[in-house]
Structures are given as structure tokens and as C-alpha cells.
Amino acid sequence: MSFRKVNIIILVLAVALFLLVLHHNFLGLSSLLRNEVSDSGIVGLQPVDFVPNAPQHVVDGRQEEIPVVIAASEDRLGGAIAAVNSIQHNTRSNVIFYIVTLNGTGDHLRSWLSSSTLKSIRYKIVNFDTKLLEGKVKEDPDQGDSMKPLTFARFYLPILVPSAKKAIYMDDDVIVQGDILALYNTPLKPGHAAAFSEDCDSSSTKVVIRGAGNQYNYIGYLDYKKERIRKLSMKASTCSFNPGVFVANLTEWKRQNITNQLEKWMKLNVEEGLYSRTLAGSITTPPLLIVFYQQHSTIDPMWNVRHLGSSSGKRYSPQFVKAAKLLHWNGHFKPWGRTASYTDVWEKWYIPDPTGKFSLIRRHVEISNIK
């Protein structure tokens, strides 16, 4: 065999080997790409399911989707169900509920939502990974919210609803009596990533919680003795806002990296203790107050008529309660609890748990007393 033939054979073998390697790498890359495309979950938040198609009147009108995010813990699941039911029955808009839960709650929630009354709702269940909060929350028995991971879900809205430009967040202790479309259409000023209801608005009474300081200004939430807080030059008398109901411009939220800003202040609080020792409200409020200081729009106060859970007594007239667009039982006295105000309004929208796992505490007490 000539030297030239040997070289040709070697060249052919080399080309064949190169093609085999290239083919192998291509298959590996294709597999990787398929995995990345098919893996729709984002680290820390895994979507579970999505149901049914939009109603025909919505499809015909090509209505914009209205994402509503609600966190639903196992022990408060009845609250989320009542909130969802009240929203759905008071609108003809294309609402999609993003219900954020912890592992283990999804099956229970799904069986409840499949009841005949709620069959028509469109929803997505999202599991919240508590690892997102590592190093950002210090457990404090005196601050119950610090040990309830789902209370921080509102900080991660762009991850929860990644394709939306705008979304509504609301707590599970609310009832909606107006058309959610009106709240969704709240105008936000240029550069504002969210709209809240301020605590100094005309529909909410100024409240003092257990001598903890005023619940309607910044000094009730932040420790102004700390140098880092003083350096921010925020007036202690500035009116605070309630983060239990708000409208978010998610495009602006992403542009300003709001989630990263909130996480920054959570970490600094763990290291330096920046929140007020006599915190006037939720542990989620202080970082929001800092990040949105003089940089937020406002919602109509009738879309967050609150403090219904501050006491078991009734603070508002029946006419005012009826006129409210959204009722909020923030405070210790929840409408599914032993004692609460305006329970008749809330129970109108409550749907009993078909599994029997969740029951109204006061009814439990009444039955025990009868026996």
C-alpha cells in the first residue's frame, strides 16, 4: 500500500471520528435545550397546574388577563377560598388566580377548588420554596409573621407571574365586593412600580396596637435609633401604607430590581435589627416602606377598607361596609376565628371544605357548647 493511500485512509478515519464526536455533542446539546425549554419552573417557585380555558364571553371580547396573586397557607385556606369566590362572582373579567402555597397544601386546595361553586375559575397553584428566604428572615416568636414564609410571597411577584406586565396582590383575609377590574385599572404614575392604600386615608381610622406605636406612620415600623435608618433621611412622621392589597406594574418592578432591593433590606435587618422593636404591623411592611418611600401611587381607599380584624367589635356602619369595594380583616380577629366582626359578610362567600379538614373555629365552639 502506497504512502498516499495510507494518508487518505487516515484522513477518512479522522473525518469519520470528528463527525461522530460532533454528532454526540449535538445530541447532548439538544437534550440540554429540551430540558431547559420543558423545565418551566423557576428556582424556588414551581408551577403545579393551570385550569380551564377562558369563558366564551371573555374570549369573544379579547379581554386582558388580570393576574391576582393570593398566598394560601394550610391553616388559613378557607380565607383564600372565600376571597377567590368573592372576586369571581363580582366580575366578568378574565381573572387568573395565582395561588401560592407550601408543599403539601396543593392537593387539599385542588380538591376544594374543584367543588361545583368554583369549577369555572382559572387558577395556577405555585409552590413557594422557603430556601428563597435563607439568611433574610430571623425567626422571632414575638413576630409571628417571621415564621410564616408565605407572607413574603408578595416580594416575588415577577417570578410568580413571569409573563404579566401588571398584577394584583392581596392577602387571604379579604372579601371583594366590587369589580376587580376597577382595582386593576388603578393608574400608576410614571416610574412607580406599585400602588398601595395609605394608612392616613379617610376611610381608615388611626389605630394604636397594644401600645406599640402608631400604625399609620414610619416610626411604627422602623427603628429610627439605628444610624442606617437615619441616613435614609425618611421622615418618621411619613404616612405608612398597607401592603395587604396592592397593584403592581411588573415591568417597572423588574426594571428597578424591586425584589433585590427588598431582599437587601431583609438581610440588613437580620444583621442589624432595623425594624421597630414594637412593630406596628406585618414584618413585610418595613422593607416595602423603605423601598417605596415617596415612590408609589395610591389606590382608592374603598379598595382596602381595613382594621376589621383589629377587634371583635364593629367599627364601621352597615352602610359603609356595604359600600366598601374590598373589606380587609387585618389584625388578630380573623373572620374564620373564634370571635370576629362582620362574620355574616364574610360567610356569604365562604364555601365549606369538602374534605372536612378546615372548619370555622366559632362554629366548632358553638357545637361544643350545645353538646
Side-chain angles (χ1 to χ4, degrees):
M1 186 180 290
S2 70
F3 182 72
R4 179 182 174 130
K5 287 183 178 179
V6 170
N7 282 341
I8 290 173
I9 292 171
I10 292 173
L11 181 61
V12 169
L13 289 173
V15 170
L17 182 61
F18 172 76
L19 290 173
L20 283 172
V21 171
L22 184 63
H23 180 66
H24 176 76
N25 289 340
F26 176 75
L27 288 176
L29 179 60
S30 298
S31 176
L32 177 62
L33 288 173
R34 276 198 305 274
N35 289 337
E36 288 182 353
V37 171
S38 63
D39 183 12
S40 60
I42 299 172
V43 175
L45 297 156
Q46 300 89 37
V48 178
D49 51 14
F50 195 54
V51 298
N53 293 328
Q56 191 59 45
H57 74 269
V58 169
V59 174
D60 293 342
R62 293 293 184 268
Q63 291 183 10
E64 182 180 358
E65 291 183 349
I66 300 178
V68 176
V69 179
I70 300 178
S73 60
E74 183 71 25
D75 60 325
R76 299 164 61 111
L77 213 50
I81 291 292
V84 167
N85 192 29
S86 69
I87 294 168
Q88 183 70 10
H89 277 78
N90 284 300
T91 189
R92 285 177 61 80
S93 297
N94 184 16
V95 178
I96 298 179
F97 297 95
Y98 289 78
I99 307 175
V100 190
T101 68
L102 297 176
N103 282 327
T105 302
D107 290 341
H108 184 191
L109 177 59
R110 197 175 296 107
S111 65
W112 208 334
L113 291 172
S114 65
S115 67
S116 58
T117 310
L118 297 172
K119 272 184 179 177
S120 64
I121 76 162
R122 304 178 69 212
Y123 69 90
K124 194 172 190 176
I125 297 176
V126 183
N127 284 333
F128 187 82
D129 190 341
T130 57
K131 290 179 181 178
L132 284 170
L133 303 177
E134 287 180 358
K136 305 179 187 79
V137 180
K138 180 169 60 177
E139 290 193 0
D140 183 349
D142 294 329
Q143 294 177 349
D145 284 353
S146 68
M147 294 180 279
K148 297 177 181 178
L150 290 177
T151 195
F152 299 96
R154 70 197 81 192
F155 290 0
Y156 298 93
L157 289 182
I159 304 175
L160 294 167
V161 280
S163 60
K165 295 179 180 179
K166 193 175 181 183
I168 295 171
Y169 171 86
M170 58 180 61
D171 286 343
D172 57 9
D173 53 357
V174 306
I175 288 296
V176 173
Q177 300 185 133
D179 188 336
I180 198 71
L181 179 63
L183 178 61
Y184 184 74
N185 286 336
T186 297
L188 274 71
K189 295 178 181 178
H192 287 184
F196 302 91
S197 178
E198 295 194 341
D199 290 324
C200 305
D201 64 41
S202 58
S203 70
S204 296
T205 308
K206 295 176 180 179
V207 178
V208 177
I209 303 289
R210 295 178 298 174
N214 293 323
Q215 198 188 1
Y216 58 92
N217 56 30
Y218 271 47
I219 200 169
Y221 294 91
L222 298 166
D223 188 352
Y224 275 79
K225 294 179 182 177
K226 297 295 172 69
E227 183 181 2
R228 190 179 291 275
I229 295 298
R230 292 199 306 272
K231 281 184 175 181
L232 294 173
S233 299
M234 301 183 302
K235 289 184 179 180
S237 60
T238 301
C239 182
S240 56
F241 53 77
N242 181 274
V245 178
F246 64 91
V247 181
N249 177 337
L250 298 182
T251 302
E252 195 63 38
W253 188 295
K254 294 173 190 174
R255 191 186 71 79
Q256 297 181 31
N257 291 317
I258 297 294
T259 296
N260 290 342
Q261 291 188 56
L262 292 169
E263 289 183 327
K264 166 193 167 183
W265 288 104
M266 290 168 71
K267 291 175 184 176
L268 286 172
N269 177 64
V270 170
E271 297 166 4
E272 303 176 25
L274 303 178
Y275 304 165
S276 171
R277 291 184 178 276
T278 53
L279 193 62
S282 170
I283 194 173
T284 61
T285 306
L288 286 164
L289 292 180
I290 295 172
V291 172
F292 286 101
Y293 179 68
Q294 296 184 344
Q295 289 294 320
H296 68 274
S297 298
T298 57
I299 65 174
D300 182 338
M302 295 301 282
W303 273 101
N304 193 359
V305 173
R306 49 201 176 278
H307 303 309
L308 274 71
S310 296
S311 69
S312 56
K314 295 187 176 182
R315 65 167 56 244
Y316 301 120
S317 70
Q319 294 81 7
F320 183 75
V321 169
K322 186 177 181 179
K325 302 297 183 184
L326 183 148
L327 298 169
H328 190 180
W329 279 262
N330 60 314
H332 297 287
F333 299 91
K334 300 303 180 188
W336 55 84
R338 186 169 282 104
T339 55
S341 61
Y342 309 102
T343 54
D344 56 327
V345 179
W346 183 84
E347 284 195 38
K348 176 184 176 183
W349 301 108
Y350 173 70
I351 299 170
D353 182 2
T355 70
K357 293 179 182 178
F358 182 96
S359 59
L360 303 184
I361 297 174
R362 61 180 168 279
R363 284 187 182 166
H364 215 39
V365 172
E366 288 169 3
I367 293 171
S368 298
N369 289 338
I370 292 171
K371 290 180 179 178

